[in-house]
Amino acid sequence: MSEQFLNDIIIQGITNKGKIFRPSDWSERLSGILSSFDQDHRLAYHSYVRPLLINQVRCVVVDKNLEQLNPAMFRFLTDFAGDNDLRVCDGSEAAGISTQVPQPAPAPEAEAPQPYRIVEIPPHETAHAFPAMLVLRPHLTSAAQFVGEVNNVLRDEGYRLVGIFEEGRTQALAVCGFRVSHNLAWGKHLSIDDLSTLPEHRGHGFAKQLLDFIHEEAERLGRLPVHVDSAVGIERQEAHRLYFNSGYRISSYHFMRGK
């Protein structure tokens, strides 16, 4: 079996501590960064990045040629593995992939907790917001589509991205997209487009911290009112609770027609 992967590296859905990585569709989501729709309008994975079940372990197989053809995307994939402590092996070692827990190494001395930081995400780092944004916007087909839409369309319209990062990691744990807008109803105001946290990092108050950042930015820009739409449904109750606890109120119905 290993011969068919000689020109690949394999990201395994097992952490270095032997835990199964979640969610269960992580390999399909990660492989989607280079996927596209074929002529039959079906989603097709790129031959250089594809999900695969190897010895009952969910994996993502990455062709080594991707490092030369698209260095940024190759680095994004390897950073994802590193950020989530996933096992990575050469394709020649595919036969040895298993859920067996390796013998623990001597425990290192405890390090001080890594602090979190809130920073605005510049255009050349937009891809770092994709995993967290995909949780809220699952219709996004790939990181490339997300980066292109944000950098080539939304930023020109005033859209800005801010994220929460852990020191030493490139992926944002939580993100917020916002912009300053004008209309006759509300005048000049700050509008929140997106607010999303990776599921495995919920419960740490990251969304509240991002809202606090937005509120401070609204004050800095001239004490602007802040507006946000939030979909209805039981799955949005936590978001509604957050907004109510942060001083928001329901001020109108939002009507729409068509898609």
Side-chain angles (χ1 to χ4, degrees):
M1 177 180 66
S2 299
E3 293 183 357
Q4 71 184 91
F5 301 116
L6 287 179
N7 199 47
D8 300 315
I9 63 169
I10 301 174
I11 302 173
Q12 305 170 40
I14 303 290
T15 70
N16 287 309
K17 295 180 180 178
K19 294 183 179 180
I20 303 296
F21 186 60
R22 303 293 181 190
S24 59
D25 63 345
W26 74 271
S27 57
E28 289 85 354
R29 290 191 182 191
L30 187 60
S31 299
I33 64 174
L34 283 181
S35 63
S36 59
F37 289 98
D38 60 21
Q39 59 184 5
D40 296 321
H41 305 289
R42 294 177 300 185
L43 192 65
Y45 294 113
H46 197 285
S47 60
Y48 281 3
V49 182
R50 62 194 191 280
L52 198 64
L53 191 67
I54 303 177
N55 296 339
Q56 303 306 309
V57 176
R58 294 184 182 277
C59 301
V60 170
V61 180
V62 182
D63 193 305
K64 295 176 183 177
N65 289 322
L66 183 64
E67 185 172 14
Q68 301 298 324
L69 295 175
N70 193 333
M73 197 58 65
F74 185 85
R75 185 169 58 253
F76 176 82
L77 292 166
T78 55
D79 283 348
F80 177 91
D83 287 347
N84 292 285
D85 195 33
L86 299 182
R87 299 181 191 172
V88 179
C89 70
D90 189 85
S92 61
E93 303 170 7
I97 293 176
S98 74
T99 57
Q100 182 178 359
V101 180
Q103 291 297 321
E109 294 184 7
E111 298 181 356
Q114 295 285 353
Y116 299 105
R117 55 193 175 92
I118 300 179
V119 296
E120 186 157 353
I121 301 172
H124 68 278
E125 294 181 355
T126 298
H128 296 169
F130 177 67
M133 189 66 75
L134 187 62
V135 177
L136 180 66
R137 309 298 183 201
H139 62 277
L140 296 170
T141 59
S142 68
Q145 179 216 3
F146 168 69
V147 171
E149 188 165 344
V150 169
N151 287 353
N152 299 328
V153 180
L154 297 183
R155 287 190 187 274
D156 288 344
E157 298 173 349
Y159 183 84
R160 297 164 59 186
L161 267 174
V162 63
I164 292 185
F165 294 83
E166 187 174 9
E167 292 296 336
R169 294 192 173 191
T170 58
Q171 282 188 75
L173 307 183
V175 293
C176 181
F178 66 99
R179 69 184 78 205
V180 173
S181 300
H182 297 75
N183 60 27
L184 293 176
W186 305 321
K188 186 178 181 181
H189 62 281
L190 192 152
S191 176
I192 298 174
D193 289 11
D194 320 285
L195 181 61
S196 182
T197 303
L198 289 170
E200 61 270 28
H201 292 287
R202 288 174 179 165
H204 299 289
F206 292 152
K208 178 62 165 59
Q209 292 178 47
L210 287 173
L211 277 184
D212 290 343
F213 176 95
I214 294 299
H215 300 158
E216 291 175 5
E217 185 67 0
E219 283 291 313
R220 188 185 70 82
L221 293 173
R223 295 190 174 183
L224 301 180
V226 180
H227 290 256
V228 58
D229 283 338
S230 184
V232 297
I234 191 170
E235 73 281 358
R236 299 298 297 162
Q237 286 184 346
E238 287 298 321
H240 300 162
R241 186 177 295 111
L242 169 66
Y243 294 131
F244 282 130
N245 290 341
S246 298
Y248 290 79
R249 67 184 188 280
I250 297 175
S251 61
S252 65
Y253 288 106
H254 178 94
F255 291 95
M256 65 172 291
R257 183 175 184 271
K259 294 183 179 180

